[in-house]
Amino acid sequence: MRIYEYLNVFKRIDYLLLIPVIILIFWGVINIYSASINEYPSLYLKQLIIGSIGIFLMLVISSVDYKKIVNTAPYIYVAVVVLLFLVLIAGDVILGAKRWIKVGGFAVQPSEFSKIAVILLSAFYLSDKRYPISIFDAVVVFVIALIPSILTLIQPDLGTAITILIPAIFIVFLFGINKKYILLVFVISFLLSPLIWKNLKDYQKERIIAFLNPENDPLGSAYHIIQSKIAIGSGELTGKGFLEGTQSKLYFLPEQHTDFIFATIGEEWGFLASILIVTVYLFISLRILTWGNRVKESSGKVICFGVASLLLFQAFVNISMTLGMAPVVGITLPFLSYGGSSLLTFSILIGIVLSVISTFKKEKVHF
Amino acid sequence: MNEKKIRFITILFLFLTAVIVFRLLYFQVIERDRYLSYIKRQYFSKERIILPRGIIYDRNKKILSISINTLKLYAIPKYIPHEKRVLLADYLSKIIKVSKYKLIRKLNSKRGYVVLAENIDRNLKDRLNELRTELKVWNFGIIETSKRYYPYKSLAGTTIGFVRKDTGKGASAIEYMLNKKLGGGFIEVPFLKDAKGNPLNFEINVKDKIKNNLNAVLTIDSNIQFIAEETLKKLVKLRKPKEAAILLIDPFTGDIIAAATYPNYDPNRYWKYRNHRNIIFHNAYEIGSLAKPFILAEAIDEGYLRNLRKVYCEKGKIIIDGVRIKDHKKFKYLSPEEVIIKSSNIGTIKIALNLDYSSIYKKLKELGFGKSTRTFPGEASGILKEDLRPVNVAYASIGQSWTATILQVAVAYSAIANGGFLVKPRIVKEFIDSEGKVVEKIRIKLKKKVLSEKSVKWLRETLKRVVEEGTAKSGRSDYFSIAGKTGTAQKYDPKIRALSTEKFYTWFAGYFPADNPRLTVVIFVNEPQKIKKWEFIGGGTVSAPVLKELVDRIMYYYKQKPDKNLAKN
């Protein structure tokens, strides 16, 4: 009976979602190998191990009823917020920012995991709410997102802080809040922007200036953008070939295996492979969004909408950044960038989505 | 649930993706040239490393052409502090023996990258590296490259050819022909700036790039080549011709033993010469009377000579198809042998006109005329077209109106020397690896028999007499017997639109020793000058006189005893 149950679990997995994700993970390992082999010869192995753990986690989580996970959301949320505080107090300073904390020998980036906490707690809170939700509920969801976001912003990590807020906006919008209110939020934040600008760190201001006018200071802040554009542009239609990229290999391109992995891919594999990757992200996001529309239960919907929007938006901002369309804010390219916290976060999120889909299929059979 | 909202989000997702796709299209397809040019700007320079190539040996394993390792010194002056420039120039001038001020001037230049010195002895590498570490000037560097060197300088220059110093690949003659076997070429090493704009240097391992180059062993004997060139020099000094050549081949194997040409060049400094042609292979000329023995051979084969005792030579003038053809002397009656020995045009023509016209052309073609032997890159084939009008057969029989390369002449005369066989010329004997083991042998190809026993016998007797008592008498050696034939072809002069009476090709073709041939020899001169006013220009007066010295020297080199009875002289 139990074995039969397990087999059913595998049957209910949405392979059209799982397989593209697995492809992305391995594609990431290959390109991290190319981008980092000269500098750090063992990084790709680390990514391969974490990627395998991620795939394992996805499969395990997909077999658990997501409602059980949603019910633990408050604890997860509290734990993440505590960790974020700890980072501010005792975090490791890397590249001028406190983002990491040592947990059992591993450097962990709690701000990445806070994305899971925010989506789960929103799902928990909205699980007994009906469409459309009230303004009060919308505000609650925002506050849920805002707490870790602000804690991340003062690390400082503008990019991750913004991405934590993204799912909340989409969830609130899709759960029936009128466009007017969302517009209002944008207007308010626009009016508040001078205040935000004042509170930004100098390097963050520089990056935004560099984004608006990169040729102004080619060897300074805009260096990332220019080198990334050169790398991608020189890839042409079919790329220079695996391990043949000159920009990323010769250290012209900074962060070539983390935030700028897309530039390495663009340089070595060219236009056709680049649009293929973009299409894979679109496919995954739309697939999750479609399931979110089909699922009846509210918290499941919240999870699907949150994950879909987070994934597409984060991929979009990261790629835009490498293409000089967005300021350089340190956010990763989901599944492809080097970094254990990011990879595990997205694997867990996909795992929860798979569980939502699986549970939905199971209930459909029963009723 | 609000379907409209889901649709809105879907459209938003599609829109964001489309934005990225268009941006990628713009970068990677439309604007790619701009970004490619950015990359080029990040280089200081691209430096070529010339890869070593296999050795070319002569048949005695003497080195004719070799790649030697050299060093190239460069600097990126921008990153060398002023006080270090002077120090560097000071020490460097002592090591490589170049003027200190010249080096300082180069180090003070505003260019991003300068070559300080080239072709530096490789043995200085350690000392130069020491200097680099001692002075801590990392932006002074050494590139290991190589250079083609020809130890015998211009010896067989047009035959060996040269390797371009910028590409490391053979560009002419044998060097060009053997590009695939000898290897070589170059690799380009980019000198880059790193992220901070500092130059990046890295060690290049050239050894990985060298594929298994082979070494070539030629059929050339550099000693005989030297003798041939000495002889040729003497001839050129005397006659001041436009072109001249001496070719020696082994009549039995087709091996090219010596190929001396004038003009010639020194491949070590190939760029100083405009003309790199090798006239032995690349040009075709009218062969004049050299054609006559083959006409007689055809006559023997057709049985025409059997009943022919004497030919009436019309006192030096004959009119065929309304065209007047003259002889150099007013001969009356000549035996067929005498026609060859005295080289009578009219005698030959009258015999030729009694033969089957197309068989004459067929015989010439069988002897290899009109077709390239494919021994040498860019080899000419000569022009031999069948034209059956009597006047053309007449001209063809005395070697006018058609052309042949000097090599084809040597092949045809080798057939007389070796008993009637057509040989395929060979200039590369074998390929050996770095340990001297033979990897590939070029086989000797004896093609079909082209002259009958009867005609070979007749020709060998007659050609011997040509040198002993005939037109080539001036080439007669006291020690060694020689057989051969002289030839003189009038050049067509475009000014008078007729055959010139001033400009000639003069020839000698033959073999020695006459009874036991070792080498076939062809001596060719284009437009020799008269030394004396009353002198008659011809193969006998121009080409033959150097013959005896050439033959004597070669036979002494071969340590052969004279085959003539010395007591008689």
Side-chain angles (χ1 to χ4, degrees):
Chain A
M1 185 61 203
R2 273 190 88 88
I3 291 163
Y4 179 73
E5 266 289 296
Y6 274 118
L7 282 177
N8 264 349
V9 163
F10 281 107
K11 247 188 214 166
R12 288 196 300 266
I13 286 176
D14 184 28
Y15 288 102
L16 277 178
L17 178 57
L18 180 66
I19 288 165
V21 167
I22 291 174
I23 289 171
L24 280 182
I25 290 173
F26 284 110
W27 183 246
V29 172
I30 289 168
N31 284 291
I32 286 162
Y33 175 83
S34 171
S36 66
I37 189 71
N38 291 339
E39 264 180 297
Y40 319 102
S42 65
L43 276 196
Y44 77 99
L45 271 176
K46 225 166 141 188
Q47 182 82 353
L48 183 66
I49 292 163
I50 294 168
S52 310
I53 294 170
I55 294 167
F56 176 73
L57 277 179
M58 265 192 277
L59 292 171
V60 169
I61 293 170
S62 71
S63 65
V64 177
D65 189 337
Y66 71 98
K67 281 171 210 145
K68 285 179 193 159
I69 302 168
V70 170
N71 285 335
T72 63
Y75 307 107
I76 295 173
Y77 188 82
V78 170
V80 165
V81 171
V82 169
L83 275 175
L84 282 172
F85 269 112
L86 275 176
V87 167
L88 289 178
I89 298 158
D92 291 343
V93 179
I94 301 177
L95 296 173
K98 280 185 180 179
R99 292 177 192 175
W100 284 266
I101 190 164
K102 283 258 163 62
V103 175
F106 293 100
V108 174
Q109 206 179 340
S111 54
E112 288 290 340
F113 292 105
S114 68
K115 292 168 188 169
I116 305 172
V118 168
I119 292 173
L120 282 181
L121 193 64
S122 305
F124 177 78
Y125 178 73
L126 294 174
S127 58
D128 54 351
K129 306 286 186 296
R130 296 241 135 232
Y131 176 89
I133 54 169
S134 67
I135 294 174
F136 176 76
D137 293 336
V139 171
V140 170
V141 171
F142 261 111
V143 171
I144 289 170
L146 217 52
I147 292 167
S149 176
I150 288 170
L151 286 172
T152 307
L153 186 66
I154 55 183
Q155 284 179 356
D157 184 352
L158 180 63
T160 312
I162 292 169
T163 51
I164 293 169
L165 285 178
I166 292 301
I169 296 171
F170 279 85
I171 290 165
V172 165
F173 172 72
L174 284 165
F175 267 75
I177 279 298
N178 200 308
K179 267 179 279 189
K180 282 179 208 158
Y181 295 108
I182 290 179
L183 225 86
L184 191 75
V185 170
F186 273 107
V187 170
I188 289 167
S189 54
F190 184 74
L191 291 174
L192 283 176
S193 61
L195 212 112
I196 297 169
W197 180 256
K198 231 176 141 187
N199 283 311
L200 285 178
K201 298 277 170 188
D202 280 348
Y203 83 94
Q204 287 173 326
K205 286 181 190 172
E206 270 175 24
R207 280 177 178 181
I208 292 170
I209 293 168
F211 160 65
L212 295 172
N213 190 6
E215 274 71 26
N216 205 15
D217 180 17
L219 285 175
S221 308
Y223 186 78
H224 281 51
I225 299 174
I226 291 175
Q227 288 304 334
S228 164
K229 277 163 136 183
I230 291 173
I232 295 172
S234 64
E236 300 182 67
L237 201 61
T238 51
K240 294 174 185 166
F242 183 55
L243 299 176
E244 297 292 323
T246 55
Q247 297 306 96
S248 44
K249 293 289 161 308
L250 296 167
Y251 319 126
F252 284 111
L253 194 63
E255 305 287 321
Q256 72 274 22
H257 57 286
T258 58
D259 296 354
F260 281 88
I261 188 77
F262 190 77
T264 303
I265 297 170
E267 186 184 19
E268 295 191 351
W269 300 91
F271 174 68
L272 297 177
S274 302
I275 57 167
L276 188 71
I277 288 167
V278 176
T279 315
V280 171
Y281 281 113
L282 179 69
F283 178 81
I284 294 173
S285 307
L286 287 182
R287 180 117 194 123
I288 299 173
L289 194 68
T290 318
W291 276 116
N293 193 24
R294 247 187 265 173
V295 169
K296 293 285 174 292
E297 198 270 327
S298 284
S299 59
K301 268 182 190 301
V302 171
I303 288 166
C304 287
F305 294 155
V307 174
S309 57
L310 175 68
L311 189 71
L312 192 96
F313 197 83
Q314 188 163 336
F316 173 76
V317 173
N318 178 284
I319 295 173
S320 299
M321 186 171 94
T322 62
L323 289 170
M325 292 193 299
V328 178
V329 288
I331 67 169
T332 56
L333 186 57
F335 302 113
L336 289 183
S337 284
Y338 173 78
S341 300
S342 165
L343 183 53
L344 284 179
T345 298
F346 278 98
S347 301
I348 290 167
L349 285 173
I350 294 294
I352 298 169
V353 169
L354 286 172
S355 158
V356 172
I357 298 166
S358 171
T359 309
F360 171 71
K361 281 181 178 169
K362 191 170 144 194
E363 283 167 357
K364 225 170 91 181
V365 172
H366 283 278
F367 302 104
Chain B
M1 200 72 203
N2 194 340
E3 289 291 334
K4 249 165 114 189
K5 284 192 168 173
I6 292 284
R7 213 171 301 140
F8 174 76
I9 296 293
T10 307
I11 289 165
L12 179 72
F13 281 11
L14 283 170
F15 172 74
L16 293 180
T17 310
V19 167
I20 288 191
V21 169
F22 279 111
R23 186 78 169 173
L24 281 168
L25 186 75
Y26 175 75
F27 274 157
Q28 295 186 310
V29 181
I30 299 164
E31 284 283 292
R32 55 163 194 202
D33 290 337
R34 207 176 106 206
Y35 292 102
L36 285 174
S37 76
Y38 269 124
I39 288 198
K40 287 205 186 99
R41 255 185 268 161
Q42 285 177 328
Y43 297 128
F44 280 104
S45 155
K46 264 189 183 172
E47 199 50 61
R48 279 183 178 185
I49 291 182
I50 304 294
L51 299 172
R53 234 166 114 84
I55 300 168
I56 299 179
Y57 296 101
D58 83 340
R59 67 186 304 126
N60 306 318
K61 299 280 169 67
K62 280 190 185 161
I63 294 170
L64 296 177
S65 171
I66 187 168
S67 287
I68 49 173
N69 293 318
T70 60
L71 302 177
K72 190 184 221 178
L73 307 183
Y74 69 89
I76 298 160
K78 213 171 129 187
Y79 297 94
I80 303 176
H82 272 275
E83 65 279 6
K84 276 192 182 170
R85 289 183 196 175
V86 181
L87 262 175
L88 178 68
D90 201 17
Y91 283 107
L92 202 56
S93 72
K94 279 174 196 153
I95 299 176
I96 62 172
K97 311 225 158 36
V98 172
S99 145
K100 180 182 163 184
Y101 299 99
K102 220 180 206 172
L103 292 173
I104 291 182
R105 205 181 318 132
K106 278 183 180 168
L107 284 169
N108 282 336
S109 84
K110 292 222 164 61
R111 279 182 302 149
Y113 170 93
V114 287
V115 173
L116 294 175
E118 277 184 281
N119 295 328
I120 302 296
D121 185 356
R122 211 181 88 98
N123 296 328
L124 295 173
K125 194 186 175 188
D126 291 341
R127 281 181 72 191
L128 290 165
N129 265 331
E130 253 171 53
L131 179 69
R132 191 167 178 253
T133 34
E134 254 171 50
L135 292 179
K136 295 199 173 69
V137 269
W138 309 115
N139 292 307
F140 155 67
I142 303 160
I143 300 171
E144 258 186 83
T145 179
S146 76
K147 182 183 134 185
R148 200 65 166 163
Y149 178 62
Y150 303 86
Y152 293 110
K153 304 205 164 65
S154 66
L155 190 83
T158 52
T159 306
I160 297 167
F162 62 88
V163 169
R164 283 188 68 97
K165 56 176 181 173
D166 54 342
T167 61
K169 277 277 177 194
S172 156
I174 292 174
E175 289 275 27
Y176 171 77
M177 184 168 78
L178 301 183
N179 265 341
K180 269 191 193 151
K181 301 274 184 186
L182 300 180
F186 66 89
I187 49 169
E188 252 176 357
V189 182
F191 282 75
L192 299 156
K193 297 174 186 179
D194 69 4
K196 283 180 184 158
N198 293 316
L200 271 176
N201 301 321
F202 42 95
E203 287 283 316
I204 307 119
N205 202 349
V206 177
K207 282 199 181 106
D208 300 343
K209 306 274 178 187
I210 304 169
K211 291 154 212 143
N212 26 345
N213 292 344
L214 294 176
N215 303 319
V217 180
L218 301 188
T219 57
I220 301 267
D221 182 325
S222 53
N223 293 311
I224 296 181
Q225 176 76 28
F226 181 76
I227 294 168
E229 285 191 12
E230 288 270 282
T231 311
L232 191 68
K233 262 179 215 159
K234 208 171 263 177
L235 183 62
V236 168
K237 205 177 161 197
L238 201 65
R239 294 289 175 176
K240 301 189 173 53
K242 262 175 119 173
E243 296 170 324
I246 294 178
L247 173 64
L248 290 150
I249 78 171
D250 184 322
F252 294 95
T253 60
D255 282 1
I256 293 167
I257 305 294
T261 64
Y262 167 84
N264 190 16
Y265 66 92
D266 177 0
N268 288 312
R269 296 179 300 147
Y270 69 89
W271 58 92
K272 300 222 163 161
Y273 302 83
R274 214 193 268 163
N275 181 6
H276 299 123
R277 283 179 85 84
N278 185 321
I279 63 162
I280 289 174
F281 306 98
H282 290 147
N283 291 3
Y285 305 95
E286 290 177 307
I287 65 169
S289 312
L290 294 189
K292 289 172 186 168
F294 305 115
I295 305 300
L296 270 291
E298 176 61 20
I300 291 165
D301 290 352
E302 288 189 25
Y304 179 69
L305 283 200
R306 221 177 296 148
N307 305 315
L308 190 75
R309 304 286 301 277
K310 292 273 180 182
V311 193
Y312 179 60
C313 291
E314 313 278 349
K315 289 188 187 162
K317 241 181 251 174
I318 192 173
I319 294 170
I320 300 159
D321 286 356
V323 180
R324 198 172 64 174
I325 299 174
K326 286 206 272 182
D327 234 335
H328 57 98
K329 267 183 190 162
K330 292 174 180 166
F331 297 117
K332 285 180 185 164
Y333 286 97
L334 295 176
S335 70
E337 287 84 354
E338 282 170 330
V339 166
I340 294 299
I341 293 162
K342 299 201 154 103
S343 197
S344 164
N345 287 345
I346 294 162
T348 313
I349 289 168
K350 285 183 79 171
I351 292 169
L353 290 178
N354 278 298
L355 303 175
D356 178 28
Y357 293 175
S358 59
S359 296
I360 292 173
Y361 288 106
K362 208 180 137 210
K363 173 72 75 189
L364 292 173
K365 280 180 182 161
E366 273 179 350
L367 283 156
F369 292 113
K371 222 172 109 190
S372 163
T373 68
R374 294 161 183 271
T375 314
F376 204 74
E379 196 180 313
S381 52
I383 299 166
L384 176 60
K385 275 191 194 128
E386 198 171 290
D387 187 333
L388 300 177
R389 282 180 302 166
V391 64
N392 275 295
V393 175
Y395 272 127
S397 69
I398 57 168
Q400 298 276 171
S401 83
W402 59 281
T403 62
T405 65
I406 297 168
L407 181 64
Q408 283 169 347
V409 171
V411 170
Y413 273 79
S414 291
I416 304 172
N418 68 21
F421 292 95
L422 190 72
V423 288
K424 162 103 177 73
R426 185 173 80 148
I427 198 151
V428 182
K429 210 173 137 205
E430 59 201 16
F431 294 100
I432 57 177
D433 62 15
S434 49
E435 275 118 50
K437 221 174 73 196
V438 177
V439 180
E440 188 187 336
K441 244 187 150 85
I442 310 297
R443 277 193 303 137
I444 295 164
K445 281 176 202 151
L446 262 186
K447 287 187 191 166
K448 58 180 186 234
K449 197 165 164 90
V450 289
L451 294 172
S452 65
E453 285 299 329
K454 226 166 139 191
S455 52
V456 166
K457 203 180 152 217
W458 189 89
L459 285 172
R460 287 179 70 157
E461 282 307 312
T462 312
L463 292 185
K464 212 157 102 180
R465 285 174 62 194
V466 171
V467 181
E468 287 299 314
E469 55 187 90
T471 52
K473 213 159 55 186
S474 56
R476 182 180 163 275
S477 158
D478 289 339
Y479 310 102
F480 297 97
S481 61
I482 307 169
K485 177 80 191 75
T486 59
T488 310
Q490 290 170 282
K491 288 179 80 169
Y492 180 82
D493 191 341
K495 268 187 210 154
I496 57 170
R497 292 209 198 151
L499 293 177
S500 168
T501 49
E502 302 283 318
K503 294 173 179 170
F504 302 98
Y505 302 120
T506 69
W507 296 83
F508 176 83
Y511 51 88
F512 58 89
D515 296 321
N516 185 19
R518 258 196 100 146
L519 289 177
T520 303
V521 56
V522 181
I523 302 170
F524 167 80
V525 184
N526 178 5
E527 282 190 33
Q529 305 293 313
K530 283 185 180 182
I531 315 172
K532 296 166 190 125
K533 264 197 178 144
W534 44 265
E535 190 183 33
F536 175 78
I537 287 285
T541 50
V542 177
S543 298
V546 295
L547 181 66
K548 84 179 132 195
E549 193 195 323
L550 181 74
V551 171
D552 287 350
R553 284 184 73 178
I554 291 171
M555 292 310 281
Y556 282 127
Y557 165 71
Y558 277 149
K559 297 196 176 72
Q560 295 295 308
K561 279 186 187 150
D563 67 338
K564 275 189 175 177
N565 192 349
L566 293 173
K568 226 167 96 180
N569 299 289

